[in-house]
Amino acid sequence: MTIQRENPARTDELVGSIVAATPSEVDLVVANARKAQPEWAALDVDSRATAVRTGAERIVAEVDQLAELMARETGKVLGDCRGELLFSASVLRWAADRAPALLADHVIDDDAGRLLMRRRPYGVVAAVTPWNAPVILAVLKLGPALVAGNAVIVKPSPFAPFAIARVVELLGGWMPDGTVQVVQGEAETATALVGHAGVDRVAFTGGENAGRALAAIAGQALTPALMELGGNDPAILLDDAELGPDAMDRLVMASFATSGQVCMAVKRLFVPRRRYDEVVDAYRAAADRVLRIGDPLFDGVTLGPVVTAASATRVRGMVEDAVASGAEAMLLGESDAHTDLGRGHFLRPTLVLGASDSDRLVNEEQFGPTVPLLAYDTLDEAVARANAGDLGLGASVWSADEDRAFAVATRLEAGFTFVNTHNRTGMALRAPFGGIKRSGWGREYGDEGLVEHTQTCVVHAPGAFRPGGSGLGAAAYPV
């Protein structure tokens, strides 16, 4: 089956087409990975790290071409695409740099015995990745899994198949054939790959529905999985929160980067009732400064289209439902004068005032360019409302008092809580990222993100049975 990908900013423009892999083609790709993986794992960790670093430099060398391709297939702003690619190279280098220390054998030899703990690769990792950050969300799996000695098969979204395919080609150029590969397709391809008997581990980033389906398939096969799913991230402004231009610009972009189509974007904004009008004015002024919707290839544009017509319809419907229930939708930012917004899947960003916690716009992940601003009377109330729901990916607390912000942050049910920022400006290579509740399990980034793709294997000689040891009864428990 051939899948065509249109430019979401210019829907009459075809970016390219892919051919979905058949089950037999998935079989062949997995077989190639299984053949290559032992040779790759047999290399010392320094050699694997060098190959990954070399791949990172090859990506950097093509960053301009890759960024334009990514912007055309995803609708993301060109500068954001370039930034994603450069950050992806940093992630690869970081994994390569940390691998020798984290993957080294650990030996304890004392009176209690001799204990050897080794980090071993799983084998073949299936990485199923989304369209909204197609390279970084693949690289967060590729870098750690590869330096650990795994082979990796990437199944990208059909909405963003091209840039990541080239990145995989560049990265794999210094590795045995089959060590890193791409299979293209839709849900059927993902199902065939995740359920394949030759796959030893699954790493998925994406929406809850797809995550449920793939987790069920992996579970049926007893294949261990990492799941990074959606979020309905709350941002709580405390009564002393800074509302100056820098902070407010950061808050606005934390909501609307990639047109709000980011799992860790601000999705609910809680503000003290007595500062409500002040926050509305400051937020709107910041939006006017930093939001310009238009063609992502045009200079000055900070907000592109949403990914599909269906996405636009869904987000528009959420806003309309809230307005029908008494809320007010406030348009934000400005439009680029050189862009024909009717040519693509464009939605003007909106701040929604007066929505109810029962509105879909509040209690579901919008994944689009809209955010509700919600007043609260007490901090306990804000925390309770922020923790409502079954998602727990990210959250943030904003305060002039960092200690106070940290105290509130520890009360929030989120895998990653930012302080005085949110979304990508609050990430760090050293900080593990992932969700709790139904936002998934497992971690990316940080040392935890690297060892996620390893298994701890142990060799143990108890001291009791070594020469001169005290001995232990045949049916005794260890002491």
Side-chain angles (χ1 to χ4, degrees):
M1 178 180 69
T2 299
I3 302 170
Q4 294 187 330
R5 179 57 184 151
E6 66 183 22
N7 181 338
R10 313 169 188 173
T11 57
D12 55 345
E13 176 185 295
L14 180 66
V15 180
S17 60
I18 57 171
V19 177
T22 65
S24 61
E25 288 169 333
V26 172
D27 288 342
L28 179 60
V29 168
V30 174
N32 289 339
R34 297 204 68 81
K35 180 179 179 181
Q37 191 271 330
E39 179 184 353
W40 175 243
L43 296 175
D44 61 81
V45 65
D46 289 330
S47 297
R48 296 197 300 266
T50 296
V52 168
R53 285 193 201 94
T54 302
E57 299 315 312
R58 296 182 75 193
I59 293 166
V60 171
E62 291 194 15
V63 67
D64 292 333
Q65 303 96 300
L66 288 167
E68 181 173 341
L69 179 58
M70 191 194 302
R72 292 176 62 228
E73 65 181 336
T74 65
K76 286 180 61 167
V77 173
L78 182 61
D80 286 352
C81 293
R82 194 172 191 278
E84 177 180 329
L85 288 156
L86 293 175
F87 182 61
S88 297
S90 295
V91 168
L92 292 170
R93 295 188 199 102
W94 189 90
D97 291 346
R98 292 295 295 149
L102 293 175
L103 302 179
D105 291 351
H106 182 56
V107 179
I108 300 173
D109 196 343
D110 55 19
D111 291 344
R114 183 177 176 184
L115 177 64
L116 169 64
M117 291 177 285
R118 309 185 70 194
R119 294 282 188 182
R120 305 303 299 269
Y122 279 91
V124 175
V125 175
V128 182
T129 57
W131 68 267
N132 60 327
V135 174
I136 186 58
L137 292 176
V139 160
L140 283 166
K141 301 158 183 59
L142 284 162
L146 287 170
V147 294
N150 299 281
V152 184
I153 302 167
V154 179
K155 206 302 284 182
S157 166
F159 297 147
F162 303 116
I164 184 56
R166 178 57 178 160
V167 164
V168 166
E169 183 180 5
L170 294 169
L171 186 58
W174 296 84
M175 301 173 189
D177 288 345
T179 303
V180 55
Q181 303 170 85
V182 169
V183 290
Q184 302 282 12
E186 297 184 321
E188 295 81 1
T189 304
T191 297
L193 179 63
V194 168
H196 201 287
V199 167
D200 303 298
R201 180 165 171 77
V202 173
F204 172 78
T205 299
E208 182 178 346
N209 290 337
R212 285 176 181 272
L214 294 182
I217 293 167
Q220 187 66 33
L222 295 180
T223 304
L226 179 155
M227 291 275 155
E228 199 263 85
L229 306 177
N232 193 13
D233 289 21
I236 300 178
L237 273 61
L238 302 190
D239 54 13
D240 64 346
E242 170 62 45
L243 302 184
D246 289 346
M248 295 307 297
D249 290 358
R250 207 159 55 244
L251 180 58
V252 167
M253 288 310 298
S255 304
F256 292 107
T258 316
S259 295
Q261 299 168 117
V262 179
C263 59
M264 60 180 176
V266 173
K267 309 282 191 349
R268 297 174 289 158
L269 181 55
F270 292 92
V271 303
R273 191 174 302 277
R274 70 176 183 83
R275 300 192 73 186
Y276 188 88
D277 292 342
E278 182 186 3
V279 173
V280 171
D281 290 343
Y283 195 96
R284 188 171 191 176
D288 288 343
R289 286 191 298 271
V290 301
L291 297 182
R292 178 183 292 178
I293 186 171
D295 191 302
L297 295 177
F298 290 177
D299 290 341
V301 168
T302 60
L303 203 69
V306 295
V307 67
T308 63
S311 294
T313 298
R314 180 183 56 80
V315 175
R316 190 181 295 114
M318 295 173 93
V319 174
E320 290 172 350
D321 287 350
V323 170
S325 297
E328 174 191 356
M330 178 183 292
L331 294 178
L332 301 173
E334 62 180 20
S335 300
D336 176 68
H338 304 290
T339 300
D340 178 2
L341 297 183
R343 194 178 172 191
H345 306 308
F346 290 98
L347 286 179
R348 281 287 300 275
T350 58
L351 180 67
V352 178
L353 309 178
S356 165
D357 285 7
S358 62
D359 286 331
R360 287 195 303 142
L361 185 73
V362 179
N363 63 35
E364 296 180 17
E365 180 181 23
Q366 310 101 10
F367 214 70
T370 184
V371 65
L373 193 149
L374 308 164
Y376 69 86
D377 293 303
T378 69
L379 185 55
D380 287 346
E381 172 206 339
V383 170
R385 292 166 67 191
N387 288 339
D390 57 5
L391 299 179
L393 186 61
S396 62
V397 181
W398 301 66
S399 172
D401 184 338
E402 188 175 283
D403 290 340
R404 187 176 176 221
F406 266 73
V408 174
T410 60
R411 299 172 60 189
L412 296 179
E413 296 172 358
F416 197 111
T417 300
F418 307 89
V419 170
N420 289 328
T421 192
H422 201 122
N423 210 328
R424 66 182 181 226
T425 57
M427 303 297 291
L429 289 171
R430 68 177 185 174
F433 181 86
I436 62 173
K437 299 198 286 189
R438 293 191 177 177
S439 287
W441 57 86
R443 293 295 179 262
E444 296 184 318
Y445 292 96
D447 290 351
E448 288 186 38
L450 197 154
V451 300
E452 276 279 356
H453 296 283
T454 66
Q455 304 174 88
T456 302
C457 297
V458 171
V459 181
H460 186 218
F465 308 119
R466 300 173 85 180
S470 61
L472 199 65
Y477 284 92
V479 295

